[in-house]
Amino acid sequence: MKKFQPRSGFVVQALRFALDPNVTQEQRLRSHCGAARAAYNWAVSWVVASWWQRKAEASYGIGEEELTPWRPWSLPALRKVFNEVKKTDPRFADWWGENSKEAYSTGLANAAAAFDNYATSKRGQRQGKRVGMPRQKSKHKARLACRFTTGTIRVEPDRRHVTLPRLGTIRTHESTRKLQRRIANGTARILSATVRFERGRWFVSFQVEIQRAADRAAARPDVAAGVDLGVKCLAVIADSQGTVRFVPNPAHYDGALTQLKRLSRRLARRRGPDRRTGQEPSGRWLAANTERNRVHHRVANLRADALHKLTTGITAEYGSVVVEDLNVAGMLRNRRLARKIADAGFAEIRRQIAYKTDWTGGTTVVADRWYPSSKTCSNCGAVKAKLPLHVRVFICDACDLVIDRDENAARNLAALAAAVTTGTGVAGDPGVPAPKPREADQKTRATTRSRKATGGRAGGATLPHQRQQETRDRHQDTETQHALR
């Protein structure tokens, strides 16, 4: 599916609003989302059936030319076959007409995308983790979502209602004036709408083509800022003019941890569901689960609000923003810091800065993952060989600079913006080799502890499991340093 290209001077933005549907409208919403899941499962079973049929025929010695043809998984092909079978297939014949055609198109589009991801991943053309074969979605675990691209999609002039195909007019929990004002002025156009159930309530997200306002440019387009993320301070922002700002970590999850523990203990004492035995949850369990989830939802909303305010303030002020390429997935394997790192939202901060700088016409610079921002002196450029995590004050051995560790890292990141664009040779520039203060290489040397374990073996050779443990320890130390930098 081709990606939509906005017109010149426009950007594609999503605006989300909470809904307050009545009982009938909520039933229709769930029906549309269930129809999307059913169409997805049909597409997966229809395509995969030909794969298993070919495999069975090949086991009997049938030639390649006589095997069952491959079934296509493109969206037009799936939609054509689905329209032919929906009136006769017992899975859809009795109720397919109750929902909009966009609900079934949503499931078919998701299935086509899943097969494309699987094919490109298997060929080695997709980054990230290996994508497995598409599987059917469970009725109990699948997320409720449905997308509308055609039909009546509008925001009502009263700014408290939205109209969607086959669902009618639904009241919104919050005012839609931010979008309705732009539509009335002709500076916005709705492309699609997606309804989704998450965090205990229904939301509608409008994909909108919005004209970029002239005043959305950064307030200081010639100033670069380095953003150093951490746990103690969520962000330390240092700009190229010498100003430094510390943003404390709100730690929303830690603030609600005592309440969550109490509610979880109460939930554990009540009779919950058991799919193995068919046991239904008690009413008291449902009430306790709802109350606990409400706390989780509030924490998630507070975190999202704080991160958006932080990233919007940064991109609205600075023309260039430097962020680090942190291995967040690796840092989450550290059991001592996983909860605090997940609560901070490092990856979300970088993602929001990246697309918001595009809106303001700015630039996002990503520092190399191994750039020693914490161990490099921001005054003279000297690099320390070691800087343990418990040392929170950076003391330079060359120029006697004494500075906060996080502030020093943020200043180095701010200086990196000019280095990348002008090529000054500072560590982290494209084509400039990174320093190796520890004289590190790819050889695994035996430590004193391992030599004792080997009984003084010649050359101090280590056993395979010892080498693996040493490698894991080194990686964990490096990832933890990046987390607390």
Side-chain angles (χ1 to χ4, degrees), residues 152-165:
T152 305
I153 305 174
R154 67 171 179 264
V155 178
E156 299 298 337
D158 63 356
R159 300 180 178 180
R160 292 310 300 262
H161 293 83
V162 296
T163 301
L164 300 173

Side-chain angles (χ1 to χ4, degrees), residues 83-371:
N83 289 334
E84 295 174 353
V85 304
K86 65 183 180 182
K87 297 181 181 180
T88 58
D89 194 315
R91 292 173 290 182
F92 304 98
D94 297 334
W95 57 272
W96 69 270
E98 300 176 1
N99 304 299
S100 171
K101 63 184 179 67
E102 292 295 318
Y104 307 103
S105 182
T106 299
L108 300 179
N110 292 341
F115 281 109
D116 286 338
N117 294 337
Y118 170 66
T120 54
S121 178
K122 193 173 183 179
R123 292 195 299 264
Q125 300 175 352
R126 178 183 172 87
Q127 297 181 353
K129 296 178 62 177
R130 189 75 175 266
V131 177
M133 182 185 301
R135 296 179 296 178
Q136 296 193 9
K137 295 183 179 181
S138 169
K139 181 179 180 180
H140 305 280
K141 299 180 181 179
R143 295 181 179 179
L144 301 177
C146 179
R147 185 168 183 253
F148 300 91
T149 57
T150 60
T152 305
I153 305 174
R154 67 171 179 264
V155 178
E156 299 298 337
D158 63 356
R159 300 180 178 180
R160 292 310 300 262
H161 293 83
V162 296
T163 301
L164 300 173
R166 295 296 297 271
L167 297 174
T169 302
I170 305 176
R171 181 175 175 82
T172 59
H173 184 73
E174 51 195 332
S175 175
T176 61
R177 61 181 179 274
K178 183 177 182 180
L179 175 58
Q180 202 278 334
R181 185 187 299 118
R182 287 182 172 271
I183 295 176
N185 295 335
T187 58
R189 180 169 64 97
I190 296 178
L191 304 176
S192 65
T194 303
V195 292
R196 184 187 304 273
F197 184 80
E198 60 182 6
R199 299 180 186 177
R201 68 179 315 125
W202 288 94
F203 293 90
V204 58
S205 299
F206 292 101
Q207 187 183 27
V208 187
E209 186 185 40
I210 296 181
Q211 186 176 9
R212 180 182 294 152
D215 57 352
R216 286 297 301 271
R220 296 193 288 172
D222 299 331
V223 180
V227 180
D228 180 76
L229 304 178
V231 172
K232 182 179 180 182
C233 284
L234 180 60
V236 179
I237 307 169
D239 58 34
S240 54
Q241 295 182 347
T243 305
V244 181
R245 180 161 59 96
F246 291 82
V247 179
N249 188 357
H252 298 107
Y253 187 81
D254 285 351
L257 197 58
T258 302
Q259 186 179 9
L260 286 173
K261 288 180 179 179
R262 176 177 58 83
L263 295 176
S264 297
R265 284 195 300 268
R266 186 174 67 175
L267 184 68
R269 297 189 186 103
R270 300 182 178 180
R271 191 188 70 195
D274 191 343
R275 294 183 60 186
R276 295 174 300 178
T277 61
Q279 176 177 284
E280 294 293 333
S282 65
R284 288 162 55 83
W285 185 93
L286 292 174
N289 186 53
T290 301
E291 187 174 357
R292 186 189 63 170
N293 289 342
R294 188 180 296 114
V295 178
H296 277 296
H297 299 156
R298 182 174 182 274
V299 170
N301 292 332
L302 289 173
R303 183 189 300 116
D305 180 68
L307 295 186
H308 272 291
K309 289 180 179 177
L310 171 64
T311 55
T312 300
I314 294 173
T315 55
E317 182 175 0
Y318 302 107
S320 299
V321 182
V322 186
V323 294
E324 294 179 291
D325 183 20
L326 298 176
N327 183 16
V328 180
M331 291 189 292
L332 290 177
R333 291 195 292 267
N334 186 334
R335 62 182 179 87
R336 298 177 182 272
L337 296 173
R339 188 181 75 233
K340 294 183 178 296
I341 292 173
D343 188 28
F346 293 160
E348 181 65 14
I349 292 176
R350 174 182 167 181
R351 187 189 71 86
Q352 292 183 13
I353 288 177
Y355 74 78
K356 288 182 181 180
T357 50
D358 291 340
W359 293 352
T360 59
T363 305
T364 301
V365 180
V366 180
D368 185 78
R369 180 167 295 183
W370 306 111
Y371 173 63

Side-chain angles (χ1 to χ4, degrees), residues 70-91:
W70 295 99
R71 286 178 175 175
W73 61 66
S74 64
L75 178 57
L78 292 176
R79 185 179 293 163
K80 180 179 179 181
V81 178
F82 179 78
N83 289 334
E84 295 174 353
V85 304
K86 65 183 180 182
K87 297 181 181 180
T88 58
D89 194 315
R91 292 173 290 182

Side-chain angles (χ1 to χ4, degrees), residues 412-443:
N412 286 326
L413 292 174
L416 187 61
V420 169
T421 55
T422 60
T424 57
V426 179
D429 288 1
V432 177
K436 294 182 179 180
R438 300 184 183 180
E439 298 298 329
D441 51 30
Q442 296 183 355
K443 297 180 180 179

